[in-house]
Amino acid sequence: LKDFGYVLNKQQFADALALRYSFCLKDCPKVCACGAANSINHALICKTGGYVSMRHNWLRNCIGKIMETAKCKDIQLEPSLLPTNGYQLPPGTITGDQSRLDISARSVW
């Protein structure tokens, strides 16, 4: 369990209890980096504050470790995508050099 990040330190445990029982978080800034009033809900959805990215990256890394444990081959985190020249993609899709997968692996099945 420790390999997958399920061990909480004292601060993380206190924060988890506060979130579970809707208490105020201790030592949480009153204003977010985006300028809005900071609340638990705002901290969990604001893309400027960084919590969304941290949760995403933690989950991506955890799934990558599980794939290693399952003996998948050639696991890569955030590999580059092939060029998308000539493809009709939905609006908002990142098509430049920054476009990446979350995880790539072989022998998944």
Side-chain angles (χ1 to χ4, degrees), residues 1 3 6-7 10 13-14 16-19 25 28 31 33 36 44 49 53-55 62 69 78 81 89 95 98 106:
L1 289 176
D3 290 343
Y6 289 117
V7 178
K10 186 177 179 181
F13 182 75
L17 284 177
L19 288 172
L25 288 176
C28 186
V31 179
L44 293 174
S53 297
M54 289 188 318
R55 269 195 334 264
C62 186
T69 304
E78 294 196 356
L81 291 174
L89 299 171
T95 58
Q98 315 90 318
R106 296 176 193 259

Side-chain angles (χ1 to χ4, degrees), residues 55-66:
R55 269 195 334 264
H56 172 268
N57 292 344
W58 178 84
L59 183 60
R60 179 203 61 211
N61 294 344
C62 186
I63 291 171
K65 287 179 184 178
I66 291 170

Side-chain angles (χ1 to χ4, degrees), residues 16-109:
L17 284 177
L19 288 172
R20 174 70 176 100
Y21 294 108
S22 298
F23 297 147
C24 292
L25 288 176
K26 188 178 176 182
D27 300 328
C28 186
K30 301 290 182 205
V31 179
C32 179
C34 71
N38 209 0
S39 66
I40 292 173
N41 185 51
H42 181 78
L44 293 174
I45 63 171
C46 180
K47 294 185 179 183
T48 305
Y51 293 112
V52 173
S53 297
M54 289 188 318
R55 269 195 334 264
H56 172 268
N57 292 344
W58 178 84
L59 183 60
R60 179 203 61 211
N61 294 344
C62 186
I63 291 171
K65 287 179 184 178
I66 291 170
M67 291 177 130
E68 281 180 18
T69 304
K71 305 293 186 211
C72 294
K73 296 180 173 83
D74 194 23
I75 300 167
Q76 296 179 16
L77 300 179
E78 294 196 356
S80 298
L81 291 174
L82 295 173
T84 56
N85 302 340
Y87 289 99
Q88 197 72 356
L89 299 171
T93 303
I94 298 173
T95 58
D97 292 336
Q98 315 90 318
S99 57
R100 306 219 180 270
L101 284 174
D102 285 330
I103 300 172
S104 170
R106 296 176 193 259
S107 300
V108 175
W109 301 109

